[in-house]
Amino acid sequence: MRTKLNKHSFSETAGFMFLRLASLGAVLVLVYLVGTIIFRGIGSISLEFLSQVPRAGMTAGGIKPAIIGTIYVSLLTLVISVPLGVGSAIYLNECSRQGKLNRIIRLSIRNIAGIPSIVFGLFGLGLFVATLGMGHSLLAAAMTLALMTYPVLVTTAEEALKAVPQSFRDAALAVGATRWQAIRYQVLPAALPGIATGAILGLGRAAGETAPIILTGAAYFLPRLPQNLSDQFMALPYHLYILSTQHNRIADVRPLAYGTALVLLSLVLVLNAVAIGIRMYYRKSKQW
């Protein structure tokens, strides 16, 4: 009996040790990655780097068009994807019957989330750029990214809706509200923090994607900002890709590549920090 207990204790200790080491290893890799980018990129950050257009074959100047283009395409992606994602989540969780069709739709959405981003790019190239005649544009790139972030939004919004107690719906119906009024005025406000968190995380993913925008709208070099939805644009991920792999003077532009990586990483981390802040703020204010 004592031998079995000792074996059980040893295996449990070894299991927890493995989990601890795995978690610590992931943190160390993240710290090394972020630390390397900060150490090598901080020297390139300046007011000129952030506020001017690239010059001399992108070996001098700044990355302002890439920063503004990334912000434009990310916000436009959010505008397109949030209504679709939240609407789908409301239908799946609040309106549809929990039957076979519902499970098939959920399974399809989960599978869409696993499709490689380059496939989304090829799909956007065929549908939005060629078939619908949008050309390589800001709108085509945003719609492609919206399709890619759609599964994330549906999943997070549905989980947020599920977290709202059923008593909220029952109380609204009991005082004479319609089903839509119960959703609109009771369920959605209560689920808003989770929905906002998912939207911001989707925004962060859209800001960091490269493959879809290469095929649908991002340009190698533009000395101006996009003026309308049909214009091409520069973006930080594509700019970083060119500086790191395609430039004819890679050694010379390597510091600029690290600077661009630092700006992109900072943008994504800020968005994630905003999402965490929103969740913490509303979690403290909600009591049920």
Side-chain angles (χ1 to χ4, degrees):
M1 184 67 179
R2 183 182 295 274
T3 302
K4 288 184 178 181
L5 288 176
N6 289 337
K7 287 182 178 179
H8 179 72
S9 177
F10 175 76
S11 62
E12 184 176 279
T13 302
F16 281 123
M17 181 63 71
F18 172 77
L19 295 176
R20 189 177 295 113
L21 290 176
S23 302
L24 184 61
V27 172
L28 289 177
V29 169
L30 179 63
V31 170
Y32 174 77
L33 177 65
V34 175
T36 300
I37 293 175
I38 293 175
F39 178 74
R40 297 194 177 189
I42 193 67
S44 300
I45 303 300
S46 65
L47 183 60
E48 177 186 0
F49 185 68
L50 298 176
S51 62
Q52 295 190 5
V53 300
R55 299 192 311 271
M58 292 200 295
T59 59
I63 57 172
K64 177 183 176 181
I67 295 174
I68 301 298
T70 301
I71 294 173
Y72 280 1
V73 76
S74 300
L75 292 178
L76 188 57
T77 298
L78 199 66
V79 170
I80 297 170
S81 61
V82 166
L84 294 175
V86 175
S88 298
I90 292 174
Y91 170 76
L92 291 173
N93 196 68
E94 304 292 333
C95 304
S96 67
R97 293 184 178 180
Q98 304 301 315
K100 187 175 181 179
L101 178 60
N102 195 297
R103 290 196 296 274
I104 291 174
I105 294 175
R106 281 196 176 93
L107 181 62
S108 301
I109 293 173
R110 303 292 189 275
N111 287 331
I112 291 175
I115 294 176
S117 58
I118 186 64
V119 177
F120 278 104
L122 292 171
F123 179 78
L125 176 65
L127 178 61
F128 302 123
V129 176
T131 304
L132 298 182
M134 296 180 183
H136 291 82
S137 62
L138 187 61
L139 181 60
M143 294 194 73
T144 304
L145 290 174
L147 286 178
M148 199 181 64
T149 56
Y150 170 78
V152 178
L153 283 168
V154 174
T155 303
T156 54
E158 193 176 3
E159 292 302 319
L161 292 171
K162 286 180 180 177
V164 179
Q166 181 61 34
S167 58
F168 280 40
R169 302 168 180 82
D170 295 338
L173 296 175
V175 296
T178 64
R179 193 173 182 181
W180 170 244
Q181 288 172 330
I183 295 172
R184 169 68 179 82
Y185 296 104
Q186 296 297 323
V187 178
L188 277 180
L192 186 60
I195 295 174
T197 302
I200 294 174
L201 292 176
L203 181 66
R205 185 182 178 187
E209 283 293 340
T210 306
I213 61 174
I214 289 177
L215 299 173
T216 55
Y220 167 68
F221 171 69
L222 285 173
R224 56 178 173 76
L225 301 179
Q227 301 299 312
N228 54 60
L229 297 180
S230 62
D231 282 350
Q232 285 190 278
F233 61 99
M234 289 186 68
L236 289 171
Y238 190 33
H239 190 70
L240 177 58
Y241 168 73
I242 294 296
L243 292 181
S244 304
T245 63
Q246 304 296 311
H247 202 281
N248 56 5
R249 294 167 59 184
I250 288 180
D252 293 337
V253 299
R254 185 161 297 161
L256 300 179
Y258 276 109
T260 304
L262 180 56
V263 173
L264 178 59
L265 181 65
S266 301
L267 180 63
V268 174
L269 290 179
V270 166
L271 291 174
N272 289 340
V274 170
I276 293 172
I278 290 175
R279 178 174 289 276
M280 292 179 65
Y281 173 78
Y282 281 101
R283 183 176 291 173
K284 290 180 180 178
S285 63
K286 299 293 181 184
Q287 299 292 334
W288 65 65

